[in-house]
Each structure stands twice: as structure tokens, then as C-alpha cells.
Amino acid sequence: MSTTPSPFASPERATLRPIQMVCVAVGMGAPMLSAVRILVDPAAPMPSPWAVALVLAALVAAAVLIRWVGYAVPSLPLGLPRENAEATSLRYFTSTTTLRTALAEAPVLVAFAASFLFTPHSWLPLLIALPGGFALFWVHGWPSPRTAAAVEAGLEADGAESHLSEALGFR
């Protein structure tokens, strides 16, 4: 009896899969929290301008922080053996990916708080934060060849090989 091979079961993606699972687990908090907020109080009066401004500021701040600290990694020392370089690179990639995912979700948490903090109490700021947060998550949080290359550039700044893209199955 033969089974069709799954693209998720490939050995090339075995290292990437746990990182993707962490991203999904962290990233699912925003939509779930938003759904609960909407179900608990379905009334949607026009939100306070302060709530909207705070959410927009949170989106801008999250984008800036992701670019500023989300890809910041120390460079690997020259002469590091391949196994050590690969393991270190994977640790940095996993931690920065989790950080970028959390920062992408932060505007939704701000919108959730703003929906109760400012009167009238409205969940409409979540409709601003959710698409913006999802875009930040998709571009910066989800592990991809682009995010791996950005982290790899920092790891290889002093000329050492990180072997990150190969370890993740992107090359």
C-alpha cells in the first residue's frame, strides 16, 4: 500500500516545520481574540478618533520595530564549524521569527485594548489592526526564503557561512 507523499512530510522541510508551527500558534491569538471581542459585544458604534489614531500608530510602530530589531542578529565568528554555524543560525532564526510574529500581532492587542479604553466602546479599530497585522505577519513573521535571507545577511556580515537557507530547505 503506497501513500502519496505530502509536501509537509519531506525531510527538507523537517527543520522548518516546527518554526512554522510556532508562528501559527502565536499568530492565531489575534484573530481568536478579535472574534471573541466581536461576539461578546456585537454593537459597533463609530470608534473614537483617539482609538483609530492609537491603532494606526501601533501599526507604524510595529513595522518600524520589526525592521529595527526583528532581523538584528550578531554575525557568526569566522572559522565556526558547519554544524555549530547551522545550529546557531537556526536558533537565531527561530527566536527572531517568533519576535517578528509577536510584533506583527501587537497592533491587534492594542486595538483590543482601545476598543474598551475609549468611548464609545467599539470593536471597529480591530478591523484596521487585523489586516495590517496580518500583512506584517505574512511579510515578516512567516518563515520564508526572504526572511531567511535577511537573517542570513546579518549572520554572515563578517564573512562566515551560516548555512541557514540550506538547513531550512530553501536552497
Side-chain angles (χ1 to χ4, degrees):
M1 181 165 135
S2 69
T3 60
T4 307
S6 166
F8 299 108
S10 66
E12 299 87 31
R13 301 288 185 185
T15 304
L16 184 60
R17 198 169 324 115
I19 301 169
Q20 290 173 331
M21 298 293 281
V22 167
C23 284
V24 168
V26 172
M28 284 305 296
M32 289 172 48
L33 191 64
S34 299
V36 169
R37 169 64 177 102
I38 292 167
L39 290 173
V40 166
D41 183 15
M46 202 58 178
S48 162
W50 291 107
V52 173
L54 182 64
V55 170
L56 291 174
L59 282 166
V60 170
V64 168
L65 281 172
I66 286 171
R67 294 295 302 156
W68 189 40
V69 299
Y71 293 101
V73 292
S75 59
L76 295 175
L78 288 171
L80 194 62
R82 181 183 176 106
E83 299 81 31
N84 293 352
E86 193 174 294
T88 303
S89 299
L90 284 171
R91 276 195 309 277
Y92 281 125
F93 183 73
T94 302
S95 65
T96 58
T97 300
T98 306
L99 174 64
R100 290 189 309 270
T101 301
L103 287 172
E105 189 177 85
V108 178
L109 300 176
V110 169
F112 181 79
S115 73
F116 290 110
L117 184 63
F118 296 101
T119 55
H121 302 297
S122 174
W123 51 262
L124 289 176
L126 288 166
L127 294 183
I128 299 169
L130 276 171
F134 180 72
L136 287 172
F137 171 77
W138 188 251
V139 172
H140 296 288
W142 187 252
S144 67
R146 191 191 65 72
T147 58
V151 172
E152 207 167 34
L155 292 169
E156 296 177 352
D158 288 344
E161 285 286 324
S162 68
H163 308 286
L164 179 62
S165 291
E166 293 91 354
L168 294 170
F170 292 137
R171 279 193 216 153

